Amino acid sequence: MADFGRVLTAMITPFKQDGSVNYDVAAKLAAHLANNGTDTLVVCGTTGESPTLNWEEEYQLFVEVLQSVAGKAKVIAGCGSNSTKEAIAATQKAAKIGIHGSLQVVPYYNKPPQAGLQAHFQAIAQSCPDLPLLLYNVPGRTGQNLNSETVARLAEIDNIVGIKEASGNLDQASEIRRLTPKEFQIYSGDDSLTLPLLAIGAKGVISVASHLVGNQLQQMIQAFSTGNVQVASEIHLQLFPLFKALFITTNPIPVKKALKLQGWEVGSTRAPLCEADSELSRKLQIVMQELSIV
């Protein structure tokens, strides 16, 4: 069973002023994250603005990040699509360069029923039987929920090793844990729900906040796993204002602004996303100053 660790960072994609991908900054940021609490980098997921990246840009990001963190962290490639054929092609291409795993989002917009979702993920898994896959359930983005019973059936496939659960529904996460083998890895898809999900059997988090507080997230999860729930709760509550600030508006607008406040030249978001306004910037500045991270 693949082990991606406890803190996985859903990495942003830096852009230059002309809107092109800044691969140099991406490599530097990836190395920084690997040295500051991140076990695995998830590249070209939602936080990486995958809807506005083309396949060539995504593939090059996989290559650059893999090289940057070789021996320090693992890399998971966001290869999902609402077209099964496209998802298979992207996953197979990523597998050839030695990627450690793939994140497969629930097909968006076309809203397939549960039988269609099961067939979609089965086909991708079968196309790359040696590549570990994580399912990604985020109905607020995709318009369709991946039901716990469907997850349980997919968990029977050898190389479907876990799920990024971002439904925000703790009952659903509990049901997934109840129905799947203990080896099946559940990751919180929401920073603010990491600690509650640990309590029902999650392994860790696929995090946005880890761009800024990766070491603290590691400390929180370690404290919980060793039975020091009070310390874990204290860290959670300390970080909670940051968790909420990073989702005042659409991700990754806030986290990109936060990284700029730290001096990272990550550029803007791609249209139709937009820049953080002055009020969001002010709130981020206050929260980050309280945590001494700016």
Side-chain angles (χ1 to χ4, degrees):
M1 183 67 70
D3 184 1
F4 295 117
R6 299 283 198 170
V7 177
L8 290 67
T9 296
M11 186 174 153
I12 62 105
T13 297
F15 296 117
K16 298 178 181 178
Q17 286 188 345
D18 64 3
S20 61
V21 176
N22 194 328
Y23 297 106
D24 289 340
V25 172
K28 291 175 183 176
L29 179 61
H32 168 77
L33 294 171
N35 289 327
N36 287 277
T38 294
D39 298 311
T40 296
L41 291 155
V42 180
V43 182
C44 300
T46 306
T47 309
E49 298 182 67
S50 57
T52 53
L53 296 173
N54 61 45
W55 290 120
E56 290 75 21
E57 290 171 326
E58 293 188 0
Y59 182 76
Q60 189 61 34
L61 278 166
F62 301 153
V63 171
E64 297 289 342
V65 173
L66 265 175
Q67 292 176 347
S68 178
V69 301
K72 298 178 181 178
K74 293 182 178 179
V75 180
I76 289 176
C79 299
S81 172
N82 62 346
S83 162
T84 305
K85 183 178 179 180
E86 284 189 3
I88 288 172
T91 305
Q92 289 177 329
K93 186 174 182 179
K96 291 178 181 178
I97 62 170
I99 213 82
H100 300 101
S102 177
L103 184 71
Q104 296 290 336
V105 70
V106 167
Y108 37 87
Y109 192 75
N110 42 18
K111 294 185 71 173
Q114 296 301 306
L117 293 176
Q118 182 174 338
H120 171 82
F121 292 120
Q122 282 178 332
I124 298 166
Q126 290 167 0
S127 75
C128 290
D130 296 325
L131 184 70
L133 304 183
L134 289 178
L135 308 171
Y136 178 18
N137 186 38
V138 56
R141 293 262 189 180
T142 65
Q144 180 66 296
N145 184 55
L146 183 64
N147 292 347
S148 52
E149 295 82 5
T150 307
V151 175
R153 289 191 289 271
L154 290 167
E156 297 175 2
I157 299 171
D158 287 344
N159 61 321
I160 296 182
V161 300
I163 186 169
K164 177 182 179 182
E165 174 52 34
S167 69
N169 186 331
L170 294 179
D171 283 355
Q172 175 159 309
S174 295
E175 189 70 358
I176 291 171
R177 181 72 292 161
R178 189 180 74 84
L179 294 174
T180 56
K182 63 179 181 180
E183 294 82 10
F184 187 77
Q185 301 163 39
I186 300 173
Y187 287 97
S188 173
D190 300 287
D191 280 298
S192 62
L193 293 181
T194 302
L195 186 56
L197 282 170
L198 290 175
I200 58 175
K203 181 172 183 178
V205 60
I206 300 182
S207 172
V208 174
S210 55
H211 283 90
L212 310 168
V213 290
N215 290 321
Q216 294 93 317
L217 288 171
Q218 283 283 5
Q219 291 165 8
M220 182 185 76
I221 295 171
Q222 177 64 22
F224 182 88
S225 67
T226 56
N228 202 334
V229 177
Q230 182 175 345
V231 170
S233 179
E234 290 171 355
I235 297 172
H236 166 78
L237 294 174
Q238 181 185 40
L239 298 179
F240 187 72
L242 177 66
F243 297 158
K244 303 310 289 185
L246 290 174
F247 287 88
I248 288 173
T249 190
T250 306
N251 176 49
I253 294 171
V255 70
K256 274 197 158 180
K257 181 62 182 181
L259 286 166
K260 287 183 190 179
L261 290 172
Q262 287 188 329
W264 287 95
E265 296 181 1
V266 296
S268 62
T269 52
R270 276 185 174 172
L273 297 184
C274 57
E275 287 289 323
D277 61 25
S278 58
E279 180 62 15
L280 171 58
S281 300
R282 185 186 68 83
K283 291 178 179 178
L284 283 169
Q285 184 89 35
I286 291 171
V287 170
M288 293 172 70
Q289 285 175 342
E290 290 174 349
L291 292 171
S292 300
I293 57 174
V294 68

